[in-house]
């Protein structure tokens, strides 16, 4: 018994020694890290005071601090940033759907401002700015070396004033200048139209109005067409849609799914993740859907395209999307400012991340360059000759007059679809797909 107690005491002693030997270095490392952090903060304080005391001009202490905070955030990734009280107010206005500016969503790449997408109907869109354009100068002043917020600030100005931006575009040998008149941007988040028997829903951004406006206009177009049975399918046009609210992307996806995962998010810790699932109810009532995307389709647009593609609920056509697969959380700060911080990555239902890769369309369809479209418009269409044009040709005696009228009506619809190819080749392709799927359907 005495030997047992001695052994137990020895085991306890060895355990204490082992714990001390393991814990001590860890504690020392943690202490060293903490000490290093305080040393770095002291260094920041020294530099701050040296600038205030010795810089060639008097500086605003508050502006220095804001610049330091913004630099810390922008060093993380292109989408994390500090929002001053003024910028935070503008962001809230944009989320509601109205704000001032040129009408472009931008990011930063290789030191220059890169256009994610122009927004429909805005000054930038009307001036011909395209997704993928690089803006190198504003009114002759180079943007190289500026952080994104500084570059954006240069592009802001009074409504009605002109701005000259220098653009570098792939396929163009030289940079060129574009003059744009600043305006108040009032977003029309959803536009709808009917092309033949197809309903086209154009979503320009994802803000608080997107889902309710889409649902409202979809119902109106279906009713005008004579009910869902008169519609052969839907086109959801997400081209040049820079994204927006995650909640709206989930609602729009859910509108066309009856079940299954829409998107999942994964943060730094496993507990930070979340999954969002569809509820029963399909606004399209099972009708075919084609989703249009391009290089300007980003973030929330990619969530919708990825969800409908993974569930095989829609055919995705166009070109590869932008590839922004991260989630930003806006955190309010003191003095009405805010911090936009990347807090998670999002994943499509199949578990794929589209970060930097984008959503690949099922069918790649490139939009012809605007110049090519213009040349095609300027070239007069040559009418082809047929048997009916020949003098003395025989008439068709196997069809009734009503059947002939129906054929002529169908031919006119096909010719209208062909005209749409000149206006918007990608959309015309989407309409053709829906028409083809309808032709393959069961006859009633």
């Amino acid at each position: 018994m005495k030997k047992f107690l001695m052994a137990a005491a020895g085991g306890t002693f060895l355990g204490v020694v082992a714990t001390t030997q393991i814990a001590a270095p860890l504690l020392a490392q943690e202490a060293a890290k903490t000490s290093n952090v305080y040393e770095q903060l002291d260094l920041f304080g020294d530099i701050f005071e040296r600038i205030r005391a010795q810089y060639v001009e008097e500086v605003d202490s508050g502006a220095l601090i804001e610049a330091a905070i913004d630099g810390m955030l922008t060093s993380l990734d292109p989408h994390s940033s500090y929002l001053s009280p003024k910028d935070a107010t503008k962001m809230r206005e944009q989320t509601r759907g109205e704000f001032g500016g040129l009408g472009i969503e931008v990011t930063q790449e290789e030191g220059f401002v890169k256009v994610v997408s122009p927004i429909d109907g805005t000054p930038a869109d009307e001036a011909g700015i395209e997704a993928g354009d690089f803006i190198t100068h504003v009114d002759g002043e180079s943007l190289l070396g500026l952080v994104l917020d500084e570059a954006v600030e240069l592009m802001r100005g009074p409504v009605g004033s002109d701005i000259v931006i220098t653009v570098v575009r792939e396929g163009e040998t030289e940079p060129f200048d574009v003059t744009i008149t600043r305006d108040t941007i009032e977003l029309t988040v959803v536009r709808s139209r009917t092309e033949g028997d197809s309903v086209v829903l154009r979503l320009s951004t994802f803000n608080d109005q997107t889902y309710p406006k889409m649902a409202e206009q979809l119902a109106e177009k279906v009713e005008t067409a004579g009910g869902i049975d008169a519609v052969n399918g839907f086109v959801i046009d997400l081209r040049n849609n820079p994204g927006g609210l995650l909640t709206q992307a989930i609602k729009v996806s859910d509108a066309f799914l009856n079940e299954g995962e829409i998107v999942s998010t994964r943060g730094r810790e496993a507990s930070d993740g979340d999954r969002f699932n569809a509820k029963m109810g399909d606004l399209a009532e099972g009708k075919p859907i084609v989703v249009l995307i391009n290089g300007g389709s980003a973030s929330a647009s990619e969530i919708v395209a990825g969800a409908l593609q993974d569930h095989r609920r829609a055919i995705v056509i166009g070109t590869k999307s932008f590839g922004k697969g991260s989630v930003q959380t806006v955190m309010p700060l003191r003095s009405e400012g805010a911090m936009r911080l990347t807090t998670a990555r999002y994943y499509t239902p199949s578990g794929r991340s589209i970060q930097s890769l984008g959503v690949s369309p099922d069918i790649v369809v490139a939009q012809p360059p605007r110049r090519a479209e213009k040349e095609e418009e300027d070239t007069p269409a040559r009418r082809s000759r047929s048997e009916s044009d020949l003098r003395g040709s025989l008439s068709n005696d196997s069809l009734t007059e009503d059947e002939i009228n129906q054929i002529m009506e169908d031919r006119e619809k096909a010719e209208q679809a062909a005209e749409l190819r000149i206006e918007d080749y990608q959309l015309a392709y989407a309409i053709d797909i829906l028409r083809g799927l309808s032709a393959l359907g069961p006859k009633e």
Side-chain angles (χ1 to χ4, degrees), residues 136-415:
T136 61
H137 294 74
V138 170
D139 291 330
E141 184 175 344
S142 174
L143 302 184
L144 186 63
L146 298 181
V147 298
L148 186 60
D149 286 345
E150 291 172 332
V152 170
E153 192 63 35
L154 282 179
M155 289 186 275
R156 291 177 178 149
V159 170
S161 62
D162 288 343
I163 178 177
V164 179
I165 62 174
T166 303
V167 174
V168 173
R169 178 176 295 166
E170 186 178 355
E172 299 286 345
T173 55
E174 296 290 335
F176 56 92
D177 291 339
V178 180
T179 301
I180 304 176
T181 302
R182 297 179 177 97
D183 199 358
T184 299
I185 311 302
E186 296 182 8
L187 289 180
T188 304
V189 294
V190 179
R191 289 186 175 90
S192 60
R193 63 199 258 205
T194 302
E195 290 287 346
D197 298 327
S198 306
V199 174
V200 180
L201 299 166
R202 165 73 183 140
L203 278 56
S204 60
T205 190
F206 285 85
N207 65 21
D208 290 333
Q209 305 171 32
T210 303
Y211 171 74
K213 290 289 184 184
M214 184 196 74
E216 176 187 331
Q217 293 190 33
L218 184 152
E220 287 176 0
K221 293 300 178 186
V222 168
E223 184 179 355
T224 302
I228 194 68
D229 291 336
V231 175
N232 68 7
F234 297 84
V235 176
I236 303 174
D237 188 352
L238 298 175
R239 290 173 297 175
N240 294 329
N241 183 323
L245 299 177
L246 173 65
T247 52
Q248 288 293 307
I250 293 167
K251 287 182 178 181
V252 168
S253 302
D254 193 6
F256 304 103
L257 296 172
N258 283 316
E259 61 181 359
E261 183 180 301
I262 295 170
V263 66
S264 63
T265 62
R266 302 176 200 172
R268 186 172 178 175
E269 304 293 338
S271 58
D272 296 334
D274 210 343
R275 293 180 184 275
F276 301 90
N277 297 310
K279 299 183 290 294
M280 183 62 69
D282 177 3
L283 294 183
E285 297 187 31
K287 291 285 183 175
I289 297 173
V290 173
V291 175
L292 275 171
I293 61 171
N294 65 3
S297 307
S299 190
S301 298
E302 295 172 296
I303 289 175
V304 175
L308 298 183
Q309 185 182 54
D310 280 4
H311 283 288
R312 304 179 71 83
R313 181 65 186 89
I315 299 171
V316 178
I317 75 168
T319 55
K320 182 179 75 68
S321 64
F322 186 75
K324 180 183 177 293
S326 58
V327 179
Q328 282 68 48
T329 302
V330 177
M331 305 173 182
L333 300 173
R334 303 171 188 175
S335 305
E336 302 299 320
M339 173 174 65
R340 184 191 289 116
L341 187 66
T342 299
T343 53
R345 288 184 173 88
Y346 68 75
Y347 297 80
T348 67
S350 64
R352 59 189 168 122
S353 168
I354 56 90
Q355 176 62 31
S356 299
L357 297 176
V359 173
S360 297
D362 299 307
I363 304 173
V364 176
V365 181
Q367 187 84 315
R370 296 193 180 197
R371 286 183 181 177
E373 291 172 359
K374 184 69 170 63
E375 290 170 3
E376 196 170 338
E377 288 172 7
D378 293 341
T379 304
R382 184 177 177 181
R383 185 177 178 274
S384 61
R385 290 171 60 82
S386 68
E387 169 73 15
S388 63
D389 295 317
L390 300 178
R391 183 176 298 177
S393 62
L394 296 174
S395 61
N396 190 315
D397 61 356
S398 66
L399 299 174
T400 66
E401 186 176 345
D402 286 343
E403 288 173 329
I404 291 173
N405 288 337
Q406 183 61 50
I407 288 173
M408 298 304 291
E409 186 179 325
D410 291 342
R411 181 177 298 165
E412 186 179 351
K413 286 182 180 180
E415 288 172 353

